[in-house]
Amino acid sequence: MCGIAGYTGFKQLSDSNIKQTLTALGRRGPDDNGYKNFIHLNNRATTLLHTRLSIIDLDHRAHQPMKVGKKWISFNGEIYNYHELRFDLSKEGYQFETQSDTEVLLRVIDAWGWDGLAKLEGMWAFVIFDEDDDSLTLCRDRFGEKPLYVMHDDNDGTYFSSEVKALSALSGRRLNINREHIQRYLVNGYKSIFKQPHSFFLGVKPVPSGTAIRIDASGKKTVWKYWQQSLESNDDMTFDEAIDGTRERLIRSVELRLRSDVPLAFCMSGGVDSNALISIAKRELNYDVHGFTISSADERYVEKDMIETSVAELGLRHTTIHLDQSNFLNRLKELVIYHDSPITTVSYYIQWLLLQEMAKCGYKVSISGTAADELFSGYFDHQNLYLYEMRSNPNEHAKSLAAWHKNIKPIVRSPYLKNSDYFTENPFDRRHIYLDCEKFTSWLTKPWREPFWEASYHSSLMRNRMLNELFHESVPPILHDDDLNAMHCSIENRSPFLDTELFSFAQSIPIRHLIKDARAKAVLRESVRGIVVDAIVDNPRKVGFNASIDELLDRSDKSTRKAILNDSPIYELVRKDIIENLLDQPKLSNSRNKFLFSTLSAKMFMEHFN
């Protein structure tokens, strides 16, 4: 895991801007930094910068930018199957100078061209400069695990970097904030902020996942999607075959992601997602697991019993981080400034506290359970979607509906999802996703609205919804905050559920297997039965890293209230009387919790970057 940045165009970067950029990316790469300048024949110039967090092959020989033949690379991420690729290349006569996955990646491209991307299993954002034709190619991994931003200048030049702050340092320009995107975040929530290539700064856009951009010697850009997802369902697959196939691929995915020359730790909740990874590592792969957990005092988020059961039965090393209200506003401000954006939800402020503790314990890699819900059906609306999909199967629908009334309706909070026929009555109703957006827009100084839309991937309503969550709504903001939280602590985050073979297999599982007796993630649960403790496999609760804002913020403290209500550019967008009212209420609902946290996060962002 590292930081990358650079420029291609008619400008030659100053030594001062290069130094500032390397400093800006310092937390992403505290172990080394470097850069390389190239001058083209037509007076264009290209610069590659790199800061290194050493994870695989810790020797200086693996520092970057790295050269193989006529190609130079600046790479952020990991190629997990680099052992296998190295073996294949060696059989073709290629020799290696390092033990790094970076050299393997560059030799894959050198040997097999861009078709070699199909052979990679990993997470990446990289740029390759080819001295043969003075071309520069930017590439981002299939799921967008690793960030890559681009910004253009007025002279057909392109800046690129892992973080927005480095674009500002590299260009020497102060960036202008995107106020409409702040309104989008406040009204429609975190699921809206990566649905289109927006960012919180005007003129700055993320490179889409699964995409490569080639800039030739004249500056001409060619963009292509190098990955076409396999979405075909195998309707003949039995439930047992779904279980066996998932187990095999998940174990292999975890095995690949344990490859590291430095110690790694696990984010641990009381749910099946993180415990599947932890239990596989411990019981199947004999890894000495250290799990890190957040402890909440709010009864809605307490998972102590499940966590203690898993720790005891597996014999894990375990560290618990307790929440408190000390210095919350200042710590949130620090995190917002590092992110160059508001924090998506309170969960990712909490996760940052957990990663800080990992770093104190000497870990440089963390493993988390991101994307299990989107692959195997983990959300409440999946239950309603499943009932819709089973409408033509009377027996299964009747059985599932009875289980839904018994197990789901009593605990679901969304007024829309309390209706079992929500999607049957209107298959394209999505009011449950931007829940309370009408209320939130009335809390702004000027109403702001943006209708919901979703991409079309699949003819199945449920599959299409899950794929939108994976590629546009839920997973992209999670990965964004995962990456920046981890990088603030100089830690690399890995997500084993985002594995290409596991993804393709999950898409092939018939929908009828995804939920059983109103138990979400039925295939995943049964695939790890006998590995994960039964109490967790059978536990229907979904919590994760969550808390009420009142565990972090003392709303009655006079100095805290003064800091929140002081003059601020946020009150050009949000009505101050609404925030004052929220501070006065004895207890906040989930909706109000969400809006207050979002406003505080946006407030700190605007005050720093306005």
Side-chain angles (χ1 to χ4, degrees):
M1 186 68 68
C2 306
I4 66 174
Y7 172 80
T8 187
F10 289 101
K11 179 180 178 180
Q12 292 190 29
L13 303 181
S14 70
D15 290 343
S16 174
N17 284 3
I18 288 173
K19 182 178 179 181
Q20 290 175 32
T21 303
L22 293 173
T23 299
L25 294 174
R27 287 180 178 267
R28 298 190 76 91
D31 298 325
D32 185 68
N33 66 67
Y35 67 95
K36 178 69 177 177
N37 290 317
F38 307 91
I39 305 298
H40 307 201
L41 292 177
N42 62 354
N43 293 322
R44 288 177 66 89
T46 294
T47 301
L48 303 184
L49 295 86
H50 191 267
T51 61
R52 187 180 186 207
L53 178 65
S54 301
I55 302 294
I56 293 174
D57 190 353
L58 310 185
D59 193 88
H60 65 86
R61 65 194 173 194
H63 290 343
Q64 300 180 49
M66 180 184 288
K67 183 181 183 183
V68 166
K70 290 288 188 176
K71 293 181 175 65
W72 289 81
I73 191 170
S74 185
F75 164 50
N76 167 31
E78 300 290 352
I79 306 302
Y80 300 120
N81 63 334
Y82 74 103
H83 287 173
E84 292 78 5
L85 293 170
R86 183 187 179 100
F87 178 77
D88 291 342
L89 288 164
S90 297
K91 288 195 299 182
E92 294 189 16
Y94 287 88
Q95 296 181 340
F96 292 82
E97 298 178 4
T98 75
Q99 296 296 315
S100 71
D101 61 325
T102 305
E103 184 182 4
V104 171
L105 167 58
L106 194 48
R107 290 193 183 277
V108 163
I109 303 302
D110 196 48
W112 301 322
W114 297 110
D115 289 343
L117 292 172
K119 299 179 182 291
L120 304 178
E121 182 55 50
M123 56 179 183
W124 65 80
F126 65 75
V127 290
I128 291 178
F129 181 75
D130 192 334
E131 290 182 296
D132 271 337
D133 59 9
D134 285 345
S135 67
L136 181 77
T137 302
L138 300 82
C139 185
R140 196 168 177 214
D141 66 68
R142 298 175 181 92
F143 300 102
E145 290 188 69
K146 295 300 102 195
L148 184 57
Y149 294 94
V150 293
M151 180 178 74
H152 305 298
D153 65 17
D154 296 330
N155 198 22
D156 199 31
T158 300
Y159 298 92
F160 52 88
S161 181
S162 302
E163 294 184 10
V164 173
K165 62 175 64 65
L167 296 177
S168 179
L170 205 56
S171 64
R173 288 160 41 187
R174 185 172 181 86
L175 306 181
N176 295 318
I177 64 174
N178 184 345
R179 290 195 169 209
E180 184 179 38
H181 205 45
I182 295 173
Q183 292 170 310
R184 179 176 291 112
Y185 161 72
L186 291 170
V187 172
N188 289 343
Y190 73 95
K191 290 185 179 182
S192 69
I193 60 178
F194 288 99
K195 286 179 74 69
Q196 298 185 59
H198 299 301
S199 82
F200 285 98
F201 291 93
L202 297 172
V204 174
K205 292 186 176 182
V207 173
S209 60
T211 298
I213 303 172
R214 183 179 185 270
I215 306 173
D216 70 13
S218 69
K220 179 183 176 182
K221 298 178 179 66
T222 303
V223 181
W224 77 97
K225 297 286 286 186
Y226 61 82
W227 181 48
Q228 299 300 319
Q229 303 98 328
S230 174
L231 303 177
E232 186 174 349
S233 175
N234 178 3
D235 292 335
D236 294 329
M237 184 187 296
T238 67
F239 188 58
D240 286 342
E241 288 171 339
I243 292 168
D244 292 343
T246 298
R247 181 189 298 114
E248 176 187 345
R249 287 163 179 80
L250 185 55
I251 291 173
R252 176 58 175 162
S253 178
V254 175
E255 180 181 30
L256 286 174
R257 285 157 181 80
L258 289 179
R259 289 177 172 175
S260 172
D261 293 334
V262 296
L264 57 83
F266 288 75
C267 300
M268 184 177 188
S269 71
V272 70
D273 304 349
S274 64
N275 278 279
L277 307 179
I278 286 169
S279 301
I280 287 171
K282 180 69 174 181
R283 286 180 159 169
E284 297 294 312
L285 304 172
N286 199 31
Y287 194 85
D288 183 16
V289 171
H290 190 167
F292 286 76
T293 298
I294 290 292
S295 175
S296 171
D298 190 317
E299 62 181 15
R300 293 172 296 177
Y301 309 120
V302 172
E303 296 187 296
K304 184 179 178 181
D305 55 342
M306 291 293 104
I307 292 167
E308 288 181 347
T309 297
S310 183
V311 168
E313 188 163 326
L314 296 176
L316 305 177
R317 289 183 293 148
H318 180 240
T319 297
T320 300
I321 295 88
H322 298 278
L323 300 178
D324 60 52
Q325 297 177 332
S326 62
N327 210 24
F328 168 66
L329 292 179
N330 286 334
R331 288 194 290 182
L332 179 60
K333 181 179 180 180
E334 177 187 356
L335 190 59
V336 167
I337 291 172
Y338 184 76
H339 276 228
D340 303 310
S341 68
I343 310 306
T344 53
T345 68
V346 70
S347 297
Y348 282 88
Y349 173 83
I350 293 168
Q351 189 226 29
W352 175 55
L353 304 179
L354 181 147
L355 289 164
Q356 285 182 309
E357 191 63 29
M358 278 189 191
K360 289 177 185 177
C361 293
Y363 291 102
K364 295 181 75 172
V365 179
S366 65
I367 291 185
S368 65
T370 298
D373 291 318
E374 293 76 12
L375 286 182
F376 294 102
S377 78
Y379 297 128
F380 281 129
D381 64 345
H382 296 166
Q383 299 278 352
N384 304 71
L385 286 161
Y386 183 79
L387 290 171
Y388 169 85
E389 297 284 2
M390 294 300 109
R391 69 195 185 284
S392 59
N393 184 337
N395 290 335
E396 178 61 25
H397 185 274
K399 179 182 175 182
S400 299
L401 181 61
W404 180 88
H405 276 285
K406 178 181 178 182
N407 300 316
I408 303 301
K409 188 174 183 179
I411 60 175
V412 69
R413 290 189 291 264
S414 168
Y416 302 109
L417 301 183
K418 283 184 175 294
N419 176 8
S420 61
D421 292 328
Y422 179 47
F423 294 110
T424 303
E425 293 171 359
N426 185 349
F428 302 105
D429 194 335
R430 299 292 183 270
R431 287 174 293 171
H432 68 290
I433 296 176
Y434 293 168
L435 189 64
D436 293 326
C437 64
E438 291 299 324
K439 177 197 300 178
F440 296 152
T441 196
S442 72
W443 289 356
L444 301 188
T445 56
K446 295 180 180 178
W448 183 94
R449 290 176 177 85
E450 183 176 67
F452 179 86
W453 68 273
E454 62 187 0
S456 179
Y457 287 98
H458 205 287
S459 59
S460 159
L461 199 69
M462 183 173 182
R463 281 281 185 212
N464 200 63
R465 185 88 289 281
M466 292 165 70
L467 288 163
N468 271 269
E469 291 162 347
L470 182 64
F471 290 111
H472 301 288
E473 295 173 11
S474 302
V475 170
I478 289 171
L479 293 175
H480 173 268
D481 280 14
D482 271 349
D483 174 82
L484 287 165
N485 281 352
M487 286 290 90
H488 184 272
C489 304
S490 298
I491 286 177
E492 171 182 289
N493 188 70
R494 299 178 175 182
S495 302
F497 285 105
L498 291 174
D499 176 89
T500 313
E501 287 194 14
L502 182 61
F503 167 84
S504 296
F505 184 80
Q507 302 313 305
S508 75
I509 298 172
I511 289 172
R512 67 180 184 274
H513 297 328
L514 295 181
I515 294 176
K516 296 290 184 183
D517 298 323
R519 286 200 320 145
K521 292 182 283 199
V523 171
L524 176 61
R525 291 177 188 277
E526 294 307 316
S527 74
V528 294
R529 189 175 293 280
I531 303 175
V532 177
V533 299
D534 284 347
I536 289 174
V537 170
D538 295 325
N539 181 21
R541 289 189 71 214
K542 179 175 177 54
V543 177
F545 298 125
N546 215 335
S548 163
I549 197 170
D550 286 332
E551 289 193 76
L552 306 168
L553 177 72
D554 183 355
R555 292 186 284 126
S556 66
D557 180 74
K558 290 183 179 180
S559 61
T560 297
R561 291 173 61 91
K562 182 178 179 181
I564 292 172
L565 296 172
N566 65 3
D567 288 341
S568 169
I570 190 62
Y571 296 121
E572 296 169 15
L573 301 180
V574 178
R575 289 168 48 192
K576 185 183 285 190
D577 65 302
I578 293 293
I579 301 306
E580 192 165 12
N581 179 263
L582 292 179
L583 293 176
D584 288 338
Q585 291 184 19
K587 188 172 183 179
L588 294 176
S589 66
N590 284 344
S591 175
R592 285 166 168 75
N593 253 308
K594 167 188 167 184
F595 190 83
L596 179 57
F597 178 83
S598 297
T599 300
L600 293 179
S601 191
K603 176 179 187 288
M604 292 169 182
F605 172 75
M606 293 186 72
E607 288 173 356
H608 185 78
F609 293 103
N610 193 46

